[in-house]
Structure formats: structure tokens, C-alpha cells
Amino acid sequence: MTHELSPADLAQRLESLESRLAHQEHWLDTLDQAVVQQERRLEKLEQLSGLMRERLREQHQALQANDPQGGQRPEDNVPPHY
């Protein structure tokens, strides 16, 4: 059974497909922009995390340098079950 479509039906189907394709392209562009924004935000957060880690290390070293007990405190020791 072959079903022949009229030129008007073919034109309507083609228009429908073009419309769907345009809609999909729009959402693909929107998602691409969202990914780019998330990547930029992630890079900034990674930089901030690195800075915070470095400052924490510096503060820890300063505390150890100022500690007359050599930097070891009982609360710093990890219990054996950890």
C-alpha cells in the first residue's frame, strides 16, 4: 500500500519538520550557553578553592610557628579507630 501525499501535504510536513528543527537548534544553543556559563563558574570556584586552601595552609604554618609545644595539640591527634 503506497500512500501518495499531495504537494500541499508534503509542503506542510516539510514546514513542520523545519519548525521542529529550528526549535531544537534554539534549545541546543540555549543549553550550549548554559554549559559555557557553568564552566566559567566552575573555573572561578576552583580558583577560589585554591586560594582558600593556600591561605589555610599559611595560617596553619603560622600557628605552628607560634606554638611553643611544636604544633602538636591533643585535639589534633586522630583516635586509632579513625
Side-chain angles (χ1 to χ4, degrees):
M1 294 183 125
T2 60
H3 188 309
E4 294 291 323
L5 295 176
S6 70
D9 290 338
L10 286 174
Q12 183 180 2
R13 287 189 69 191
L14 180 59
E15 185 178 322
S16 175
L17 289 172
E18 287 174 342
S19 176
R20 289 170 56 189
L21 178 61
H23 183 72
Q24 289 176 355
E25 286 178 343
H26 168 73
W27 279 108
L28 184 60
D29 289 341
T30 301
L31 290 172
D32 187 44
Q33 291 173 4
V35 168
V36 168
Q37 290 174 352
Q38 289 294 322
E39 188 173 336
R40 288 181 186 150
R41 186 172 182 193
L42 180 60
E43 287 174 2
K44 288 179 183 178
L45 289 171
E46 286 174 341
Q47 289 175 350
L48 181 60
S49 175
L51 289 172
M52 292 173 67
R53 189 174 26 253
E54 182 61 32
R55 287 198 179 161
L56 183 61
R57 186 179 302 121
E58 289 170 359
Q59 289 178 354
H60 183 69
Q61 289 172 351
L63 284 173
Q64 284 182 340
N66 292 334
D67 191 1
Q69 297 177 354
Q72 290 293 330
R73 299 179 312 205
E75 61 267 18
D76 291 337
N77 293 333
V78 178
H81 62 279
Y82 273 38

